[in-house]
Structure formats: C-alpha cells, structure tokens
Amino acid sequence: MTTTTTMTTGDRSTSTCTASTSTGTRASTDTPTGTGSDLRRRWAAYLTAEVDAASLAVFRIGYGALIAWEVVRYVLHDRIYRYYIEPGFFFSFVPFIRPWGGTGMYWHFAALFVLALLCAAGLFYRVSAALLCAALTYVFLLDKAQYLNHLYLLCLVGLLLAAAPAHRALSLDRLRARRASPGGAPAETVPRLYLFALKAQIAIVYFYGGVAKLNGDWLRGQPLTMWLAEHRGAPLIGPLLATPAAGLALSYAGLFIDLSMGFLLFSRRTFPLGAALAVAFNLSNALLFKIGIFPYAMIAALALFADPSWPRRRLPFLFGGADRPGGGAEVPSPAAGWRRALPLALLHGYLLVHLVVPLRHWAYPGDVAWNEAGHRFSWRMKLRDKNVSELDIRVLDPRTGVRESLDLGEWLTDRQLGEMCTRPDMIADFARHVADRWREDFGVRPIVTARVVASLNGGPYRDLVDPTLDLASP
C-alpha cells in the first residue's frame, strides 16, 4: 500500500541580533574600552559589578507566568495525551529518555505548573528554579516531533535563571528573609553578568534569526508571500496581504528588524525605538502565525534591556517606594578569586557555544532548508514551507524478497507523521525503529527504503531522500 499525502510544515517566525553592552544610570556603565590586560580587568569589573535586581525580578515573574500559562494551554488542547501518551514511538533526542508511564505525564505537567508559579513568586527559588529547568528540559527532549524554538529558548532561559540570584527582589524568599532578620537581609542587587547573559541570549536569537534569512528564497519573498496569501479573507487588510509586494516588503522588514534588534536594544539611546519595534514585530507574528507563547516571551524579555532599576520608577507600589539600592550607584563586587573567575569563565563559555552552534550547518553538505542538517538549535525560524506529494516507506525481507509498504497511520500520530515526512533525520530514526521491531518479531533485520517527494517554498518536486538507500542500516 502506498500512502500519498500533502502536508505543509515550517517554522514561520523570526528573531535577531547580537549584543554590545550597556545598562545602568551613568556613563561608567557603558562597556569599558582599553587594550590588553587593562581591558580584561575593566570587562571583568563591568560584569561583576552589583546592579539593581529589580528588572531581573520582573522578568523572572513574567517567565514563570508564561510557563504556567503554557501548561494550561497544553491541558485545554489535550496536548499532554496527544503528544506524550498516545504515540507508540517517540523521536527522542536522547535514547534513554522516555515519557512517564500511566498518568505520569499528567503529574509531570502539574509539577511544571506548580514550579512555574513558585519561580514567579520567588519562593524556595533556588530549588524551584533548578527543578523547573530540569522538568522543562525533560519534556523538550522527549520527541523531535514536538521541537519548537520557543521551548528550546525557555529551557536555555530557565538554565540562566536557575544560576542567577533572581529572587533578591520582588520575591517571597526576600520577604521571609526580612522577617527572619530585619535589617540583615542581603541587598537587592545582582552581579551584572546574569543580566548580560540573559540579554545576550535574547540578542543571539534575534541575530541568528536574521542571518538565516539571508538566503535566496527569503530575499525573493518566499515563503512569507505564500503564508500571507492564506489571510486574503481577513477584514480590510486581507487583499493587501495577499499581494506579492506585501510578502516581499514584509520579508525585508523582518530581515532588517532581526539583524538590528539586538543592537537597538543594547544601546540606551536606541532602546525606545528597539522596544517599540520588538512589540510591534512580535505582536504581528502572534496575530498572523500560530507560534504559541514565543512572541510574548520575547516581549517579556524587554524588561531586561532597560535600566536595571526601571521597575522602581515605573512600578513603585511593588517596592513600597524604596529607592534603588546603593543610592543609584553601581557597587563593585566583593567576590574575589575563583568566586569571581568561575562565573565569568562559565558565561564566556556559554556564549561561545551559542555563537558557534547556529553556524554548524555550514559543516554539512547541501541546503539546510532542504536536508534539515543543522536546522535545530539554530534559530532558523519560519524559513521554509515543504509540501509532500508522495510518502511511501517500504520494508524488504532479505530472506523472501517480499517488499511491502507500511501503513504509517498504525505507527505514528498525525502530528508525528506531519513532522517526519519533511525531515530526513526523523525518517531515518523511524526506519531504524521499524527494522528493530521487525527483527524482534521475525528474527531478521529488513531493508527499509523511503520514497518521499517534496517541494520547498513553492519550488519543483523532487526526492527528499535517496529511494534506493537502506535507511535502517547502522
């Protein structure tokens, strides 16, 4: 039996830019300049200086609230069952990571919800933030078919927040410390490096989202033109969105915004412009495309880029009218030796990894948009639209020479099938799974081949994988 189907997939979004530096209230908070060892000392002093924890606390609250809301959405749309209980096979990133049995996944998401609220409230923060990051990462690793850039970003941000003392302001832990030791609670400050790490991570998302758009299809307005045409029935602007000129104009606008956003947000002079563009850009994406909480997470991240003490001025009722710690001045870090060097080394190592990983697709032959090699973890968002006209996976018994087509609906859920049919690595994962099951049942490992005919961004149809290749071979 041959399964013929037409499906459209694609990460449809965008994001951008790298970082410079600068937050704070004085000229001395700008990135230091100099050469050699003097520059390194200034850079280290800049990153380790204590700044107001208020903006980090506001972001922590937004992060926890967004994850709690995402759990609610999973429950309302029955995604826990459909994604993690119904499938009989999972395209796991790590072979030994599997969903909990029985009702375990429901309990896991209930724990996620509670941990997200604890993180937002800043209660038992060190434990709750670490457990939240671990629980979220576990869900992320379960199935490649559920890969989303925003879930990957939430895992990374969760890791950075778990390392940061983000509970030093606007937290129940802070309130408990004040009651236990009036006047002896730690100052509401954090080393700037934690703010910088989070801001740099957001800037990397924007920047590499823009770099990925520097390809022939995007520069000719695809696939955005095709996607906008789907909104031709929208009131007032529908006919305008359906024009090729609109697709081309918005493609270049998205490219410009992505490449410039990080630079705009890191500069105090251009931050208002960058923030306004970021809000408009992300809200437009939220309205036009179904991309979950990603746009709202990027809007929440704007809290990190303004002056660290901005919540005390804009939201004084949350702080009881308290002034910025230290009277508005930065406080040199009291840490010395390894306590100062280790966080700096980890920060630079973390940023180096995340600057290199999105470029790894250049090490693989072929077009990453077609073969997907190096696509994940690279912020390649909303760049391709693949249509599959034919999907036929066949099993050949080497003893009998009998070849048969698989009924894929008996092996995979509709969502898994829709994701797998355009991703060669997932097709190979599935072929190996089929071969393993066949060997268990019949005592021989079969030859598994696939005929997949697809089109990229409206281009010609062609074979996605070699139809003569044994995909189940070691």
Side-chain angles (χ1 to χ4, degrees):
M1 168 183 172
T2 299
T3 302
T4 302
T5 180
T6 300
M7 299 178 187
T8 301
T9 60
D11 294 335
R12 315 176 183 177
S13 177
T14 33
S15 293
T16 37
C17 229
T18 37
S20 214
T21 41
S22 58
T23 43
T25 57
R26 307 180 305 163
S28 62
T29 64
D30 291 337
T31 305
T33 58
T35 57
S37 60
D38 181 56
L39 177 61
R40 288 193 295 272
R41 283 194 298 270
R42 289 181 175 220
W43 179 240
Y46 171 80
L47 289 175
T48 56
E50 296 280 332
V51 298
D52 199 334
S55 64
L56 181 60
V58 169
F59 177 70
R60 183 204 77 227
I61 293 170
Y63 173 81
L66 281 171
I67 293 180
W69 172 238
E70 185 74 337
V71 172
V72 171
R73 292 177 69 243
Y74 267 61
V75 172
L76 293 176
H77 296 283
D78 198 26
R79 292 176 183 169
I80 300 174
Y81 175 79
R82 291 189 292 111
Y83 292 0
Y84 305 111
I85 298 176
E86 179 186 9
F89 166 69
F90 294 89
F91 298 90
S92 178
F93 284 99
V94 183
F96 59 83
I97 294 183
R98 291 288 185 268
W100 303 112
T103 60
M105 289 306 298
Y106 288 109
W107 288 107
H108 186 91
F109 274 84
L112 263 177
F113 181 78
V114 172
L115 290 170
L117 294 182
L118 289 175
C119 178
L123 182 60
F124 310 120
Y125 177 75
R126 284 302 192 185
V127 174
S128 63
L131 290 177
L132 177 61
C133 176
L136 198 61
T137 302
Y138 163 80
V139 172
F140 173 76
L141 294 174
L142 284 175
D143 197 346
K144 295 176 185 177
Q146 314 308 333
Y147 176 89
L148 293 170
N149 281 292
H150 81 250
L151 184 54
Y152 175 47
L153 178 61
L154 290 176
C155 291
L156 295 178
V157 169
L159 176 64
L160 295 175
L161 280 177
H167 60 311
R168 289 188 181 173
L170 288 180
S171 72
L172 294 180
D173 282 346
R174 177 76 181 175
L175 182 61
R176 291 167 59 230
R178 282 179 175 173
R179 289 178 176 176
S181 179
E188 295 186 5
T189 60
V190 295
R192 182 189 274 112
L193 66 92
Y194 296 108
L195 275 169
F196 182 82
L198 286 162
K199 292 193 292 184
Q201 179 64 78
I202 299 300
I204 286 171
V205 173
Y206 276 117
F207 183 70
Y208 280 110
V211 169
K213 289 179 175 60
L214 296 172
N215 66 76
D217 280 350
W218 189 269
L219 295 178
R220 68 181 178 87
Q222 295 293 0
L224 194 55
T225 297
M226 292 189 296
W227 292 334
L228 291 176
E230 298 172 4
H231 298 274
R232 60 170 53 89
L236 298 180
I237 63 171
L240 177 62
L241 291 176
T243 62
L248 192 63
L250 291 179
S251 293
Y252 278 86
L255 173 65
F256 168 78
I257 290 173
D258 277 345
L259 289 176
S260 63
M261 184 58 67
F263 299 105
L264 293 174
L265 294 178
F266 260 95
S267 170
R268 283 178 295 175
R269 291 187 178 89
T270 57
F271 170 76
L273 173 61
L277 284 175
V279 170
F281 176 67
N282 285 291
L283 287 180
S284 297
N285 283 332
L287 291 172
L288 290 173
F289 310 117
K290 295 180 180 180
I291 49 179
I293 64 172
F294 187 86
Y296 307 107
M298 299 304 280
I299 291 174
L302 295 175
L304 299 165
F305 288 89
D307 180 84
S309 62
W310 73 263
R312 297 184 190 276
R313 297 191 302 272
R314 303 297 183 186
L315 307 168
F317 58 91
L318 294 178
F319 299 88
D323 293 330
R324 178 181 172 181
E330 295 175 9
V331 181
S333 172
W338 68 269
R339 291 191 175 184
R340 172 172 166 147
L342 181 60
L344 291 176
L346 291 174
L347 168 65
H348 289 87
Y350 177 90
L351 294 180
L352 178 62
V353 168
H354 288 279
L355 287 170
V356 172
V357 166
L359 301 176
R360 73 191 189 284
H361 68 89
W362 292 108
Y364 307 128
D367 179 5
V368 59
W370 178 251
N371 61 31
E372 305 283 330
H375 172 83
R376 298 186 189 92
F377 314 109
S378 300
W379 313 116
R380 301 183 59 82
M381 297 170 285
K382 306 304 184 223
L383 295 174
R384 75 268 195 272
D385 189 304
K386 287 181 182 174
N387 289 320
V388 175
S389 64
E390 181 180 348
L391 174 62
D392 182 23
I393 297 182
R394 297 186 176 187
V395 177
L396 172 65
D397 189 322
R399 295 175 303 184
T400 64
V402 174
R403 185 189 301 271
E404 63 179 90
S405 294
L406 295 178
D407 184 352
L408 298 178
E410 294 183 356
W411 293 78
L412 301 169
T413 65
D414 289 344
R415 180 176 174 85
Q416 287 179 317
L417 182 56
E419 293 295 309
M420 182 196 73
C421 70
T422 61
R423 292 162 173 79
D425 68 307
M426 292 177 64
I427 296 173
D429 288 346
F430 177 67
R432 287 189 287 269
H433 170 67
V434 169
D436 291 341
R437 286 282 302 276
W438 191 280
R439 183 172 57 185
E440 291 175 6
D441 294 341
F442 303 107
V444 63
R445 190 172 184 85
I447 295 172
V448 184
T449 58
R451 170 76 169 170
V452 186
V453 180
S455 167
L456 173 65
N457 294 336
Y461 283 89
R462 54 196 173 107
D463 287 327
L464 184 64
V465 297
D466 184 347
T468 66
L469 184 67
D470 180 10
L471 299 175
S473 62

